[in-house]
């Protein structure tokens, strides 16, 4: 099939006002990735070739974002919203370049299955001229119905144009369509707007093609492939389906989850086998987790790398640029940002480590804080191998602590500490015998006098 050329036309000129958003509908995200990008990915998996995106008048934000989301995509403006058939023709210049296959999809159906798109293209390769992506549902209201005669697909009827009998049909149009490139423009140009909505329906090409003796087929896809998103509740429902599928895939790949329904992935999360995810873990984009890792309860991890054998959490936050190397330990209430924690290093409790290197096997006591920001710039803290930072120490960057150095508990360290040195950065303790009792007696007498 790969030798057949293909143009994918993605329709996104719908108004999307029900999202109640300043962000165009197709740029809302599922698993941290724009819906439009999900559709593009599915098309790429099906060898969808060149991409054309049809946007509404004034949708410059979509045009701008589209070039990041789907590099090389060609944008066309549908100036007036006159129906899906009219929308496809906005991309006439692209279609006219001449392709074997034209795939039409909607930008707001992020769960469309690549397998269904591939199957549609296979039907074209096998001689079909128009292929519809159908699906079966017990609640067909609102969908176009696939009208069959003697087992052959002869038309698609939109809900509003259906007879009561046709409304009972449960085989529906999922929206996507594959058209033989040689016939595409002739079929689309033949579509009229004589229907209940007065729109130019893409779906009418089925009846037109059948009437001309062309081969029309339907493939059957899952319901999710047809799931169009119109509001935030539907967005969340699609997210839930996506997450459920991803969790299952992770488990089948060897990841253990105690409560999978409480773990959330991004579109690009990578996790190695024999890793254990305890309940309530959230992965933002850009996360790579190795094998034999334990992520304990209530961790938030984004744009971070975690190597094999690491333990993270409970209640830890790994922010962008955190790199936790083999066998290191990040404990409870620890935040790491833009820092490399080298093999075997330990940050077990209550720490902030940002813009730093923590050398191999170094140990940061509870409450160690890198003071990396002066209100204007960020500064780097370099902690050498096997250094030992006593509890409740503030490390004021820029700062270097040499390998094997000791920092006394409660220190505020502002000057470089050489390797193997012992640094105190706190006032010397002074103890005065009996002075505690004298103070207590005096305070008690003062209170009695007032009463
Ligand atoms: C469409 C199908 C219907 C199918 C359903 C599946 C048609 C005529 N009907 O109906 O058979 O069951 O999808 O969800 O195709 N769009 C434009 N410009 C327009 C009109 C629409 O770009 O002028 C885009 C929309 O942004 C959307 C897509 O086309 O992404 C579908 O439009 P929508 O209005 O949702 O069509 P439905 O009525 O749902
Ligand atoms: Mg729709």
């Amino acid at each position: 099939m790969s030798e057949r050329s293909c143009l994918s036309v993605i329709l996104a000129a719908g108004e999307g006002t029900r999202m109640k958003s300043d962000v165009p509908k197709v740029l809302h995200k599922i698993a941290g990735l724009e819906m439009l990008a999900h559709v593009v990915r599915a098309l790429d998996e099906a060898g969808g070739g060149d991409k054309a995106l049809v946007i509404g008048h004034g949708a410059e934000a979509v045009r701008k974002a589209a070039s990041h989301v789907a590099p090389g995509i060609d944008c066309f403006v549908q100036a007036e919203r006159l129906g899906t058939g009219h929308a496809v023709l906005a991309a006439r210049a692209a279609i006219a370049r001449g392709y074997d296959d034209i795939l039409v999809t909607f930008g707001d159906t992020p769960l469309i299955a690549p397998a269904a798109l591939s199957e549609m293209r296979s039907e074209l390769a096998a001689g079909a001229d128009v292929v519809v992506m159908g699906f079966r549902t017990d609640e067909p209201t609102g969908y176009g119905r696939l009208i069959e005669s003697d087992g052959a697909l002869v038309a698609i009827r939109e809900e509003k144009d259906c007879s009561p009998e046709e409304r009972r049909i449960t085989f529906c149009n999922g929206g996507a369509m594959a058209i033989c490139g040689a016939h595409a423009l002739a079929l689309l140009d033949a579509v009229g707007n004589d229907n209940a909505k007065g729109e130019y329906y893409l779906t009418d090409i089925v009846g037109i093609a059948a009437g001309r003796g062309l081969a029309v087929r339907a493939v059957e896809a899952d319901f999710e492939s047809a799931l169009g998103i119109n509001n935030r509740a539907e967005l969340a429902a699609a997210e839930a389906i996506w997450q459920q599928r991803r969790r299952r895939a992770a488990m089948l790949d060897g990841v253990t989850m105690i409560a999978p329904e409480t773990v959330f992935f991004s579109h690009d999360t990578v996790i190695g086998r024999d890793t254990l995810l305890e309940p309530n873990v959230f992965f933002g984009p850009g996360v790579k987790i190795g094998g034999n890792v334990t992520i304990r309860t209530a961790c938030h991890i984004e744009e971070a790398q975690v190597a094999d054998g690491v333990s993270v959490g409970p209640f830890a936050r790994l922010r962008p640029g955190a790199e936790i190397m083999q066998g290191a330990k990040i404990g409870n209430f620890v935040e790491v940002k833009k820092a490399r924690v080298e093999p075997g290093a330990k940050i077990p409790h209550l720490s902030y480590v940002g813009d730093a290197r923590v050398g191999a096997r170094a140990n940061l006591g509870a409450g160690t804080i890198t003071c990396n920001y002066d209100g204007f710039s960020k500064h780097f803290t370099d902690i050498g191998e096997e250094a030992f930072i006593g509890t409740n120490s503030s490390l004021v960057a820029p700062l270097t602590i040499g390998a094997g150095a000791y920092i006394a508990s409660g220190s505020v360290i502002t000057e470089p500490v050489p390797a193997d040195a012992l640094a105190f950065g706190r006032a010397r303790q002074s103890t005065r015998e009996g002075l505690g009792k004298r103070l207590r007696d005096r305070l008690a007498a003062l209170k009695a006098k007032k009463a």
Side-chain angles (χ1 to χ4, degrees):
M1 187 167 57
S2 54
E3 68 276 9
R4 292 177 66 92
S5 64
C6 186
L7 171 73
S8 294
V9 181
I10 305 169
L11 304 188
E15 292 151 47
T17 50
R18 278 179 285 164
M19 294 302 278
K20 306 261 166 78
S21 178
D22 295 335
V23 177
K25 179 164 82 171
V26 296
L27 301 182
H28 281 261
K29 293 176 179 175
I30 304 268
L33 185 72
E34 294 86 355
M35 287 201 270
L36 176 61
H38 280 274
V39 174
V40 167
R41 272 193 186 186
L43 287 165
D44 282 340
E45 264 187 64
D50 294 345
K51 312 280 181 312
L53 177 66
V54 178
I55 58 175
H57 185 59
E60 288 314 303
V62 187
R63 183 197 295 273
K64 227 170 132 193
S67 57
H68 297 289
V69 163
I73 201 163
D74 239 340
C75 284
F76 296 90
V77 173
Q78 183 194 20
E80 271 184 292
R81 197 178 186 279
L82 299 180
T84 47
H86 181 260
V88 177
L89 279 175
R92 180 190 295 274
I95 299 169
R97 286 199 292 258
Y99 290 89
D100 295 318
D101 301 348
I102 307 292
L103 265 180
V104 180
T105 56
F106 299 162
D108 61 358
T109 52
L111 301 180
I112 189 161
L117 295 168
S118 294
E119 202 187 332
M120 291 161 76
R121 293 197 62 209
S122 298
E123 289 287 345
L124 288 184
D129 296 300
V130 175
V131 187
V132 175
M133 186 187 76
F135 71 102
R136 293 185 194 276
T137 171
D138 294 335
E139 291 168 24
T141 306
Y143 292 106
R145 309 298 204 279
L146 303 193
I147 312 289
E148 288 167 311
S149 166
D150 297 329
L153 179 61
V154 294
I156 298 179
R157 199 97 68 230
E158 291 306 301
E159 168 94 12
K160 283 194 171 164
D161 303 301
C162 279
S163 67
E165 209 170 293
E166 287 168 340
R167 284 211 177 109
R168 281 196 287 276
I169 296 172
T170 54
F171 196 20
C172 294
N173 176 25
M177 220 176 271
I179 314 165
C180 164
H183 297 295
L185 286 178
L187 290 171
L188 289 161
D189 280 328
V191 171
N193 65 349
D194 182 18
N195 53 54
K197 277 187 165 175
E199 285 188 1
Y200 295 86
Y201 289 156
L202 168 64
T203 45
D204 278 358
I205 68 167
V206 170
I208 295 166
R212 292 181 181 181
L214 296 176
V216 183
R217 307 254 184 283
V219 304
E220 197 175 328
D222 53 14
F223 172 74
E224 291 84 351
S225 287
L227 198 64
I229 307 305
N230 295 305
N231 57 45
R232 312 273 181 141
E234 289 169 354
L235 185 71
E239 173 87 36
I241 294 166
W242 190 96
Q243 292 293 344
Q244 206 170 5
R245 289 176 171 178
R246 182 65 186 86
R247 290 167 191 141
R248 184 174 161 74
M251 291 187 281
L252 296 183
D253 278 345
V255 176
T256 299
M257 286 183 244
I258 295 168
E261 67 281 10
T262 68
V263 174
F264 296 85
F265 294 93
S266 273
H267 63 98
D268 58 353
T269 310
V270 176
I271 305 197
R273 55 189 274 176
D274 287 319
T275 282
L276 167 65
L277 305 179
E278 288 188 356
N280 295 312
V281 173
F282 185 94
F283 296 107
V287 173
K288 203 170 164 213
I289 307 279
N292 281 301
V293 168
T294 299
I295 312 276
R296 303 190 62 193
T297 295
C299 288
H300 189 282
I301 302 178
E302 58 189 328
E303 286 176 49
Q305 308 242 4
V306 174
D308 295 346
V310 165
S311 170
V312 179
F315 304 100
R317 180 168 184 209
L318 301 183
R319 291 175 49 204
E323 187 191 352
I324 316 301
M325 297 174 73
Q326 190 141 2
K329 181 187 159 81
I330 304 296
N332 42 248
F333 307 109
V334 171
E335 174 180 342
V336 179
K337 185 219 77 169
K338 206 174 173 189
R340 194 168 80 216
V341 179
E342 293 183 345
K346 290 182 180 162
I347 314 177
H349 351 254
L350 298 159
S351 286
Y352 170 68
V353 175
D355 302 292
R357 173 184 81 103
V358 178
R361 297 173 307 283
N363 190 315
L364 274 53
T368 297
I369 305 289
T370 53
C371 309
N372 62 327
Y373 187 49
D374 55 20
F376 295 92
S377 313
K378 302 284 167 64
H379 302 283
F380 191 76
T381 300
D382 190 72
I383 300 171
E385 288 73 26
E386 295 187 15
F388 184 94
I389 314 296
T391 54
N392 203 28
S393 291
S394 297
L395 309 178
V396 182
L399 184 66
T400 303
I401 293 172
Y406 262 78
I407 304 296
S409 299
S411 289
V412 177
I413 301 292
T414 55
E415 315 259 297
V417 178
D420 293 325
L422 170 60
F424 291 85
R426 64 189 189 209
R428 183 174 284 278
Q429 180 174 329
S430 98
T431 307
R432 316 273 291 271
E433 289 285 346
L435 251 166
K437 183 176 182 339
R438 254 168 68 189
L439 179 63
R440 186 184 303 113
D441 292 346
R442 205 173 78 217
L443 292 173
L446 260 170
K447 195 165 183 189
K449 215 164 100 184
K450 271 194 190 154

